[in-house]
Amino acid sequence: EIVLTQSPGTLSLSPGEKATLSCRASQTVSTYLAWYQQKPGQAPRLLIYGASNRGNGIPGRFSGSGSGTDFTLTITRLEPEDFAVYHCQQYGSSPRTFGQGTKVEIK
Amino acid sequence: QVQLVHSGAEVKKPGASVNVSCKASGYTYTTYYIHWLRQAPGHGFEWMGIINPSGSTTTYAQRLQGRVSITRDTSTSTVYMELRSLRSEDTAVYYCALDYADYVDNRFSPTYYFDHWGQGTLVTVSS
């Protein structure tokens, strides 16, 4: 089973700042990597698939990069609605697995 | 606008079964797969299983084999997940998620990433 390790666990930033979230896989997943945003009490939302493709309706300030075992989600200029928990998921290998999440909180 | 609406929260005793439903609306095409996932308190998401568009084929996570069943009523666009022999560690929020699928080599195949999610159903297992 591929283990995904997300870092940091918590990121404290101010609105307008840039957020850089990391996801590292224990084995290569090529570019079969997705990112989701989760807010309390809400359904998770797909942000990125294929490591770098934005989902439908996702603003341009969200971008994904990486391949193999190292991936990054970048949020340029945090908006108030971006403070949430972010999860990465690999879907290149069975069982499909998730990271533990990175919480982006208001500093 | 795609919506996946879950049934309400459940409280069950150990050894019992739970049935959670998920009704899809707002999506014109029927060629989508539905996955079930869960998130226990303080844990990441765990993939549980998938059902194909017609409801004829299912695949389950190995660690849940024999305890989980997913069925689909295409006439009402509703998918059901049954989990049996409940244990305290099954306490979690259970989510259905829609997979639009890719059309490759003249057939649809699930992508295994999740385009839309329901709001989740909290299942609490406690004596």
Side-chain angles (χ1 to χ4, degrees), chain A residues 58-87:
Chain A
I58 302 304
R61 63 181 181 273
F62 291 92
S63 65
S65 64
S67 67
T69 60
D70 288 301
F71 301 87
T72 301
L73 174 70
T74 302
I75 313 170
T76 57
R77 295 184 306 280
L78 281 163
E79 297 288 340
E81 62 267 27
D82 299 336
F83 292 92
V85 179
Y86 294 84
H87 302 267

Side-chain angles (χ1 to χ4, degrees), chain A residues 34 36 38 42-46 49 87 89 91 96 98-100, chain B residues 37 39 42-45 47 95 111-115 117-119:
Chain A
Y36 303 88
Q38 184 183 27
Q42 293 188 22
R45 178 171 72 147
L46 174 67
Y49 64 95
H87 302 267
Q89 178 227 346
Y91 54 96
R96 284 74 182 181
F98 288 79
Q100 289 290 90
Chain B
L37 305 98
Q39 185 179 33
H43 288 75
F45 291 103
W47 180 82
Y95 295 92
T111 63
Y112 280 93
Y113 60 85
F114 314 111
D115 298 272
W117 298 60
Q119 84 279 12

Side-chain angles (χ1 to χ4, degrees), chain A residues 9-95:
Chain A
T10 302
L11 199 50
S12 299
L13 295 168
S14 301
E17 291 193 293
K18 178 180 177 180
T20 304
L21 288 67
S22 173
C23 177
R24 177 164 290 177
S26 59
Q27 305 170 42
T28 181
V29 299
S30 183
T31 57
Y32 295 107
L33 196 286
W35 290 92
Y36 303 88
Q37 178 191 66
Q38 184 183 27
K39 296 180 183 178
Q42 293 188 22
R45 178 171 72 147
L46 174 67
L47 297 175
I48 301 287
Y49 64 95
S52 60
N53 302 294
R54 274 190 297 276
N56 285 338
I58 302 304
R61 63 181 181 273
F62 291 92
S63 65
S65 64
S67 67
T69 60
D70 288 301
F71 301 87
T72 301
L73 174 70
T74 302
I75 313 170
T76 57
R77 295 184 306 280
L78 281 163
E79 297 288 340
E81 62 267 27
D82 299 336
F83 292 92
V85 179
Y86 294 84
H87 302 267
C88 60
Q89 178 227 346
Q90 67 81 17
Y91 54 96
S93 176
S94 182

Side-chain angles (χ1 to χ4, degrees), chain B residues 78-89:
Chain B
T78 302
V79 179
Y80 302 90
M81 186 282 299
E82 181 188 31
L83 188 61
R84 300 176 290 275
S85 301
L86 289 168
R87 311 157 184 166
S88 58
E89 53 264 39

